[in-house]
Amino acid sequence: KKDGYDWYMRKEIFEQPRAVADALLGRWSAEGQLQLDELRLSEGELREIDKIVVIGCGTANYSGLVAKYAIEHWTRIPCEVELAHEFRYRDPILTRNTLVVAISQSGETADTLMAIRYAKLQKAKVLAICNTNGSTIPRESDAVIYTHAGPEIAVASTKGFLTQLIACYLLGLYLAQVRGTKFGDEITAVVRELELVPAKVQQQLDRCEEIYALAREHADTRSVLFLGRHAGFPVALEGALKLKELAYIHAEGFAAGELKHGPIALIEEGLPVFCVMPPKGRDQLHDKMASAVQEVRARGARTIALVEEGDDAASYADTVIPLPKVPTLLQPLVAVVPLQLFACELATVMGHDVDQPRNLAKSVTVE
Ligand code: BG6
């Protein structure tokens, strides 16, 4: 069943090129238009949406954080992201023109289910992004985008996360198409980039031995930090979550700009710090983050930078993990893969049960 892999998680990590390709399958019509057949919301209804609230728990919440960057940029619709279990207890402002996007791999997470029931009572429209056909959350939603990742058995989500990201990007682009906030050729260009992602994820997997070696070097580590900016910030959070779930060590993700406002006090000699570097662009984010990385390095941290190919990262990082070139908003799709491999291997060398980590369940059906 594990196709020769030691863990379902490792198998599922390696299934990601196929999972991403399947998540994209059939979304592009012969006329060069995005089509989301399962959506069940009319174009008229989608044009009236004036606010989006994305809810989810754990990894699903982090795909929501990425979605915010993409959806606001492409559609100009204000988009909030909220933990599903916090959402209904704070009296959120919802109207019939609010679109609540509930992300859940299993479709059974009680916190998320209760949140969508609340949203429906408030007359908001509810769209589920889900991997499990016919599960409760999509059944109770007005609309659904299935992620088509295939069954995810390991408790820690991997291909579930990547395909949730794909669904979020497709939703953002579809809204942009329906509402005319992006030209057709701009949408086509992003879709073409998405179609290149399976091969780029495969490139990351082909370099797994380097990541495994890095993990083995860290077998005694008790704490790891992750830094990111922009769409790389949720990747940092997800990288840290994977280590908490699997390796049972202290791991935290930060927005790199926040470092000087507190977390830099944590830096000590030898502390591993993963740095998800933004691609070099027009907005100077890359250079600002590179100087933050230099600062933690000067204080003794071991900096491990995930950088776009061609970035001269050796000047500011101790270890460099190259990433294929992708547009900034899509970078999480390739940047998270080495972090998944790292967590899986570190937990393996520590002797933990990677598929069934202690105290966790794949789907939490109580609030
Ligand atoms: C947690 C799982 O309990 O639920 C996480 O351990 C998962 O891996 C989270 O991300 C949310 O699950 P789902 O099925 O709603 O995406």
Side-chain angles (χ1 to χ4, degrees):
K1 280 181 296 178
K2 292 186 215 155
D3 289 348
Y5 289 98
D6 50 351
W7 304 112
Y8 279 109
M9 183 188 179
R10 211 184 301 269
K11 171 174 179 266
E12 288 160 7
I13 290 173
F14 279 83
E15 282 171 351
Q16 290 182 116
R18 162 52 59 88
V20 168
D22 286 349
L24 287 167
L25 206 67
R27 312 293 196 179
W28 194 241
S29 76
E31 295 76 43
Q33 293 272 304
L34 265 179
Q35 48 187 19
L36 296 180
D37 294 335
E38 311 138 329
L39 200 64
R40 306 197 299 248
L41 279 177
S42 71
E43 295 199 353
E45 286 171 305
L46 292 177
R47 269 188 219 107
E48 285 177 358
I49 299 298
D50 58 14
K51 181 168 97 164
I52 297 177
V53 185
V54 186
I55 56 171
C57 304
T59 292
N61 173 53
Y62 297 150
S63 47
L65 291 176
V66 176
K68 176 184 166 79
Y69 288 92
I71 290 176
E72 286 195 341
H73 183 68
W74 291 332
T75 70
R76 313 311 295 157
I77 306 171
C79 177
E80 299 169 9
V81 188
E82 181 132 15
L83 290 162
H85 34 90
E86 285 295 314
F87 172 69
R88 73 189 171 116
Y89 296 102
R90 66 162 181 94
D91 190 18
I93 301 163
L94 303 171
T95 71
R96 45 185 84 244
N97 293 332
T98 308
L99 180 67
V100 172
V101 178
I103 307 181
S104 174
Q105 188 284 131
S106 64
E108 301 296 348
T109 299
D111 289 318
T112 311
L113 178 60
M114 296 306 162
I116 67 166
R117 287 186 179 156
Y118 176 87
K120 289 198 77 177
L121 281 176
Q122 309 294 313
K123 310 278 184 253
K125 297 193 171 56
V126 177
L127 182 150
I129 289 179
C130 184
N131 193 40
T132 312
N133 279 42
S135 56
T136 313
I137 289 171
R139 267 204 329 265
E140 294 201 15
S141 299
D142 301 304
V144 59
I145 301 176
Y146 281 113
T147 49
H148 303 296
E152 193 180 62
I153 311 283
V155 166
S157 186
T158 54
K159 62 178 182 170
F161 178 65
L162 250 65
T163 55
Q164 284 163 1
L165 292 179
I166 295 289
C168 291
Y169 293 131
L170 291 171
L171 174 64
L173 293 170
Y174 187 72
L175 286 169
Q177 174 180 286
V178 168
R179 299 163 67 102
T181 50
K182 282 276 162 212
F183 293 119
D185 51 353
E186 292 173 299
I187 295 172
T188 309
V190 182
V191 172
R192 294 287 167 253
E193 287 288 348
L194 286 171
E195 286 169 342
L196 299 174
V197 166
K200 292 179 180 179
V201 170
Q202 185 60 50
Q203 249 175 280
Q204 295 304 99
L205 297 173
D206 292 342
R207 314 178 62 119
C208 64
E209 285 306 330
E210 286 166 47
I211 307 295
Y212 292 162
L214 188 67
R216 288 191 286 268
E217 282 172 45
H218 286 84
D220 298 325
T221 301
R222 296 308 308 151
S223 177
V224 182
L225 301 187
F226 293 78
L227 303 179
R229 285 198 79 140
H230 193 266
F233 172 37
V235 176
L237 296 173
E238 173 65 2
L241 179 63
K242 286 287 151 287
L243 284 191
K244 288 177 217 170
E245 290 178 306
L246 302 171
Y248 317 146
I249 59 176
H250 167 247
E252 270 191 87
F254 297 108
E258 193 63 8
L259 256 187
K260 56 186 173 302
H261 302 294
I264 199 161
L266 291 168
I267 305 297
E268 50 189 41
E269 197 59 39
L271 181 77
V273 181
F274 281 89
C275 310
V276 185
M277 297 299 300
K280 276 195 171 159
R282 282 164 296 178
D283 54 13
Q284 296 179 358
L285 265 193
H286 172 278
D287 296 353
K288 289 193 172 152
M289 180 148 167
S291 59
V293 177
Q294 270 164 330
E295 275 183 46
V296 298
R297 190 190 198 191
R299 287 163 177 77
R302 172 168 183 191
T303 51
I304 303 156
L306 290 82
V307 298
E308 190 173 79
E309 275 160 8
D311 185 332
D312 174 29
S315 62
Y316 57 84
D318 302 297
T319 304
V320 177
I321 300 174
L323 302 174
K325 273 194 195 307
V326 280
T328 307
L329 284 169
L330 307 190
Q331 198 202 34
L333 291 165
V334 292
V336 78
V337 177
L339 304 184
Q340 298 168 337
L341 290 166
F342 182 83
C344 182
E345 185 65 9
L346 184 60
T348 304
V349 297
M350 286 177 160
H352 301 320
D353 184 334
V354 169
D355 288 336
Q356 296 283 335
R358 69 183 185 200
N359 309 339
L360 295 177
K362 181 67 183 158
S363 152
V364 182
T365 52
V366 289
E367 254 194 289

